[in-house]
Amino acid sequence: MRALPASVLAVCGLIASACGGTGTGGAASGQAAPATSVEQTAAEQTPTGQSPAKQSPPDAKPLEGKVVVIDPGHNGGNYRDPKAVNRKVNVLTKWKPCDTTGTETNNGYTEAAFTFDVAKRLVKLLEARGATVKLTRTSNDGVGPCITERAAIGNKANADAAISIHGDGAAPANHGFHVIMPKKINGPVDKVVGASSRLGIDVRNAFAKGTGLPYSTYVGRNALDYRNDLGGLNLSTVPKIFIECGNMRNAAEAAKFQDPNFRQKIALALANGLQHYLKA
Ligand SMILES: [Zn+2]
């Protein structure tokens, strides 16, 4: 509906990240296995009189003790306050706008609404698996926060993993998803570049498996891209990635993103990818 200026879309393309997740199945499903008796009866003991190998209860809370920060890209109210959103902030390698409005599908489903919905679904899945989860924004009708603050939230939480969720706004024929990971910039992010790369690959694998979406046809290699111009990555001191879940300007992917069942698929794939990384 609301036409976004080409310049805004271009900026978003630079800032947006991909959505991904690696599903590894099994414990990653978030489903608690049926409880098995942990009490051994005498008859179950081995002939030597020793108990058989202690059977652990199923790992119903595999992410207990882990902290995950989820950053739904953009915010639904950003268009209302261009002055605040366009304020330049220092992302170490350059100055960039504090945030952008993000892109949207041709029929007006916004990236901000998409990322926020996926994030809420992801929170539920991760919390069910025992993780402590923090969002960088808790509604889709506000403004910001700035990309600098989005990174700071992950740092302050000392997150074991952080993920920024986006949908891209590329030329309509382009399609597929990609993950963006940080590069060394002779800055604080350098120490988590390696861990972020492992996180990115786990999420890439789970996202492909869980959503069936192809690797990006237009960015990166095998859905992996490395950048040093994103504030959300440059300023992170915890393992962090961006995911561009697909191209919202591509008709087929736009239709998928507007289907709640598909957004649940995306969230599940992301949860599985995060879990694969966190349990490694
Ligand atoms: Zn974006």
Side-chain angles (χ1 to χ4, degrees), residues 5 31 33 35 45 52 57 62 84 93 102 107 129 141 154 178 196 211 229 235 252:
Q31 302 282 337
Q45 292 183 343
T93 53
N107 64 345
R129 299 179 191 187
D141 52 19
H178 67 279
S196 299
T211 67
D229 62 322
L235 297 166

Side-chain angles (χ1 to χ4, degrees), residues 18-19 114 166-169 175-178 207 213 218 244-248 253 257:
C19 313
F114 167 72
H166 293 256
D168 212 355
H175 64 105
F177 78 94
H178 67 279
F207 197 84
L213 289 177
Y218 64 101
E244 293 285 358
C245 293
N247 180 12
M248 299 191 79
E253 287 177 0
F257 292 173

Side-chain angles (χ1 to χ4, degrees), residues 58-144:
D59 199 3
K61 300 278 187 185
L63 298 181
E64 195 86 63
K66 301 292 186 185
V67 177
V68 179
V69 167
I70 303 170
D71 174 38
H74 316 282
N75 200 329
N78 279 4
Y79 72 93
R80 288 198 310 263
D81 196 348
K83 194 176 170 193
V85 167
N86 290 329
R87 178 172 70 85
K88 292 290 197 295
V89 295
N90 182 357
V91 303
L92 304 181
T93 53
K94 63 194 295 186
W95 289 80
K96 294 186 81 160
C98 152
D99 203 10
T100 64
T101 58
T103 188
E104 62 186 33
T105 63
N106 288 344
N107 64 345
Y109 181 55
T110 67
E111 180 186 2
F114 167 72
T115 65
F116 189 61
D117 182 85
V118 169
K120 283 190 297 180
R121 293 169 187 274
L122 181 54
V123 169
K124 276 189 197 162
L125 291 165
L126 293 173
E127 285 183 344
R129 299 179 191 187
T132 298
V133 187
K134 195 167 172 57
L135 283 167
T136 59
R137 60 179 171 102
T138 52
S139 81
N140 192 41
D141 52 19
V143 177

Side-chain angles (χ1 to χ4, degrees), residues 127-206:
E127 285 183 344
R129 299 179 191 187
T132 298
V133 187
K134 195 167 172 57
L135 283 167
T136 59
R137 60 179 171 102
T138 52
S139 81
N140 192 41
D141 52 19
V143 177
C146 282
I147 52 178
T148 47
E149 177 62 15
R150 291 173 192 258
I153 290 168
N155 297 346
K156 194 174 168 195
N158 197 24
D160 294 291
I163 184 166
S164 187
I165 302 170
H166 293 256
D168 212 355
N174 294 333
H175 64 105
F177 78 94
H178 67 279
V179 176
I180 308 170
M181 293 152 288
K183 286 164 111 167
K184 288 189 178 178
I185 56 169
N186 198 22
V189 74
D190 290 11
K191 70 182 171 74
V192 294
V193 161
S196 299
S197 182
R198 291 191 294 279
L199 171 62
I201 289 167
D202 281 344
V203 167
R204 187 274 313 265
N205 294 344

